[in-house]
Amino acid sequence: EDGYGNCYQVIKVREGMVEWMVDRYLRHPLVEHAEPNYIRNACFIPNDPYFSLQWHLSQIKMEEAWDMSTGQGVTVAVVDSGINPYGRDGFGGRLVLGYNTINRTNPDVTVDNNGHGIHVAGTIAQETRNGTGTAGVAYEASIMPIKVLNRMGQGTVRSIADGIRWATDHGADVINMSLAGDYYSWVEKRAVDYAYARGVVLVASSGNETALEVSYPAAYENCIAVGAIRYDEVITAYSNGGSALD
């Protein structure tokens, strides 16, 4: 017995004979149960020193999610103010070609001169398990910088729509838009629908104006609207809500 009233025994069988032996033991009248001695793996915990302070990752059950996927093979387009590369590129070689919808004469220049885009990109996919700083959500995903906001953090619906379409046509699997505005745009919605029809997952901020309605582009039907909660799982004072919030 194992101390809990259970009596079991581990036996070795030839390779390829496990299922056959399990079936034979299950048929034996003196055997209550038989099964393979399954292997379990330790759950992944990053070694980044400030991971323990990232309470928001616990809220979205990140450790359980990492056991299923770390983002490998997925390209996330960050439709924002651009991304500043550091070292190789700051994402372990996972920064792919992006596009600048503001400066069409230099569409490959996607440097962030506001600071918002690199913050968002780091939250999504910063280098992780490298013993430095904090952990990213999908730390093996590729990041596609789509610059649609200027140095003031502002951009037009045309720039955003162009960015969505370019990202869709160049292999983005997910489009993240941590940006928001008050008014419905037919042009922007058409771009969202274009991406959605091609299998792209679109996610956007609900807005930070304490409003009772979700801002655009998050409010479009084919875009996932994300609000914010605090460390105690209470909705933040600034996050927009309403029926369009997913």
Side-chain angles (χ1 to χ4, degrees):
E1 293 189 0
D2 63 358
Y4 295 93
N6 299 317
C7 186
Y8 59 84
Q9 183 177 4
V10 177
I11 64 170
K12 292 183 178 181
V13 300
R14 293 180 181 177
E15 186 175 356
M17 298 287 289
V18 174
E19 292 184 5
W20 183 82
M21 288 297 294
V22 166
D23 182 68
R24 290 208 56 181
Y25 275 107
L26 285 172
R27 297 172 185 270
H28 198 288
L30 299 180
V31 176
E32 183 178 14
H33 182 69
E35 64 181 20
N37 191 21
Y38 298 110
I39 296 172
R40 304 289 193 229
N41 295 299
C43 294
F44 168 73
I45 300 293
N47 62 5
D48 306 271
Y50 300 118
F51 170 68
S52 62
L53 303 179
Q54 293 179 276
W55 51 265
H56 55 289
L57 295 186
S58 297
Q59 285 183 327
I60 60 174
K61 303 185 185 302
M62 206 63 250
E63 292 177 25
E64 291 92 330
W66 280 328
D67 287 339
M68 293 183 283
S69 174
T70 54
Q72 188 174 28
V74 175
T75 297
V76 180
V78 180
V79 176
D80 212 288
S81 59
I83 294 176
N84 290 328
Y86 298 101
R88 280 187 296 169
D89 60 28
F91 293 90
R94 293 175 287 109
L95 195 63
V96 302
L97 178 67
Y99 188 67
N100 186 334
T101 67
I102 299 174
N103 187 350
R104 298 194 178 204
T105 58
N106 294 295
D108 295 339
V109 179
T110 54
V111 173
D112 182 6
N113 51 10
N114 173 270
H116 190 266
I118 185 63
H119 174 85
V120 171
T123 299
I124 295 170
Q126 64 187 291
E127 290 189 67
T128 301
R129 209 177 188 181
N130 61 350
T132 303
T134 54
V137 171
Y139 61 85
E140 288 192 309
S142 296
I143 291 292
M144 177 187 290
I146 305 294
K147 186 175 177 67
V148 301
L149 304 180
N150 61 22
R151 67 175 62 251
M152 301 298 293
Q154 297 175 329
T156 66
V157 292
R158 187 228 71 182
S159 292
I160 294 167
D162 286 354
I164 292 171
R165 288 178 179 273
W166 194 95
T168 300
D169 292 341
H170 290 81
D173 301 296
V174 178
I175 293 177
N176 182 87
M177 295 175 284
S178 295
L179 45 84
D182 292 336
Y183 303 107
Y184 170 96
S185 164
W186 182 85
V187 170
E188 191 178 56
K189 182 182 182 298
R190 285 286 299 270
V192 167
D193 293 345
Y194 176 84
Y196 180 81
R198 286 156 179 78
V200 178
V201 175
L202 299 103
V203 186
S205 167
S206 66
N208 296 338
E209 294 78 39
T210 321
L212 299 179
E213 294 183 353
V214 172
S215 297
Y216 295 97
Y220 301 127
E221 182 180 359
N222 290 329
C223 188
I224 299 171
V226 178
I229 58 176
R230 309 185 314 187
Y231 67 94
D232 55 2
E233 300 191 2
V234 173
I235 297 173
T236 62
Y238 57 81
S239 187
N240 294 0
S243 60
L245 184 66
D246 295 301

